[in-house]
Amino acid sequence: MSAKENSIDGLTNLKIVQYPHPTLRHKSKPITRVDAQLKHIISEMFDLMYEAKGIGLAANQVDLPLQMFIVNVAGKRDEGEELVFINPVVSSPKGTDEAEEGCLSIPSVGANVVRPEQVHVSAYDLSGNEIDETVEGMLAKVIQHEHDHLHGVLFIDRVHESSRHQLEMELADFQLQYDQMRSTGEIPDDAAINRRLAAIEARYCA
Ligand code: ZN
C-alpha cells in the first residue's frame, strides 16, 4: 500500500504551474484525509508563495486537485498570519469593490476585478479546527480569488470586457510558451496529467 502511495509523483518539490496548464481548470474535490504528507505539501506551498512574493496560493496552482489554499496577506514569512483553508465554502456576498488582481500562475499580468466586498468563509484549518468567519478588505479578495482556483476559475475570467483585448494579447504569450513546453515533453499530455490527478484524488479525496 505505501509503495503504491509513494509512486504518485509531484507530491514533493512542488512547482507553481502557469496558465494555461490544465490543472488550473480542474474542479478540485474535498479533502477527506489529512496526513503528514499533506502537511508537508502545505509547508512547501508557503515556501513557494513567499519566494514568488504572493499573498495566496491554491493547490491547483501547484498541480494538485485538492480543495485547499493558503493565505498570508502580509506576504512575508515572519509577518502577518499564515492561514490554511481546507474544503472552504464562500457564501453571503455583500457589497462590491473593484481592485487590480494578479496571479502567481499568470505572472506579470494584472487587471481590475469586481468582487463582493465582504463574504463569509467556512473551512477547516490544518489541525481540523473549524473556520467560520465574515471577512472583508484584502483578506476577502484573496479568499475569493483562491476559492475560485479550486473550482477551475481564474481572475482573468472575471475581467471586464473593456480590458479583455489587452489581456488576450498578454495571455497569447503564455499559450506559446505552454505549447513549446508541451512539444518538448516538459509538460506531459492531458491523459498523463489526468491519471496523476486521479491517483492523488484516490489518496486524499476518497
Ligand atoms: Zn491566482
Side-chain angles (χ1 to χ4, degrees):
M1 190 67 189
S2 62
K4 186 177 171 235
E5 285 180 357
N6 290 338
S7 73
I8 301 172
D9 40 87
L11 290 181
T12 56
N13 298 318
L14 303 176
K15 285 192 197 81
I16 296 177
V17 296
Q18 293 196 354
Y19 175 90
H21 193 286
T23 304
L24 294 171
R25 293 303 190 183
H26 188 83
K27 291 177 177 54
S28 296
K29 296 209 166 54
I31 295 168
T32 55
R33 166 181 169 176
V34 173
D35 59 9
Q37 175 90 66
L38 198 77
K39 290 179 182 178
H40 184 76
I41 285 169
I42 286 179
S43 126
E44 274 198 42
M45 285 175 68
F46 274 109
D47 290 344
L48 286 171
M49 184 182 82
Y50 294 134
E51 217 173 277
K53 303 198 186 317
I55 55 176
L57 186 66
N60 298 53
Q61 295 181 270
V62 291
D63 204 4
L64 297 172
L66 307 173
Q67 280 193 16
M68 65 177 188
F69 61 78
I70 60 167
V71 175
N72 181 349
V73 290
K76 292 195 178 116
R77 186 182 304 280
D78 300 317
E79 289 175 31
E81 195 185 354
E82 293 191 339
L83 303 170
V84 177
F85 294 84
I86 293 174
N87 300 341
V89 176
V90 169
S91 61
S92 308
K94 286 198 178 72
T96 54
D97 193 19
E98 182 169 0
E100 187 175 7
E101 292 191 21
C103 181
L104 297 182
S105 293
I106 321 172
S108 306
V109 173
N112 275 17
V113 177
V114 177
R115 294 188 187 272
E117 194 177 17
Q118 185 192 83
V119 291
H120 186 87
V121 60
S122 56
Y124 291 93
D125 70 13
L126 203 44
S127 312
N129 301 312
E130 239 176 287
I131 299 168
D132 194 36
E133 267 183 71
T134 297
V135 291
E136 54 184 23
M138 181 60 90
L139 182 58
K141 288 188 205 338
V142 182
I143 286 174
Q144 291 177 81
H145 176 116
E146 303 309 330
H147 179 259
D148 271 354
H149 271 301
L150 307 184
H151 298 275
V153 176
L154 301 170
F155 84 96
I156 52 173
D157 305 337
R158 297 191 181 278
V159 166
H160 190 265
E161 206 55 49
S162 60
S163 318
R164 200 74 227 167
H165 183 65
Q166 172 65 28
L167 193 61
E168 294 294 351
M169 290 196 300
E170 293 176 335
L171 294 178
D173 288 339
F174 283 89
Q175 183 70 52
L176 274 175
Q177 207 180 351
Y178 179 79
D179 291 345
Q180 180 148 21
M181 285 163 88
R182 260 271 155 94
S183 68
T184 61
E186 200 177 324
I187 294 177
D189 63 25
D190 283 352
I193 289 174
N194 289 333
R195 271 198 304 278
R196 183 179 156 274
L197 295 184
I200 296 167
E201 283 170 351
R203 177 165 176 181
Y204 284 109
C205 310

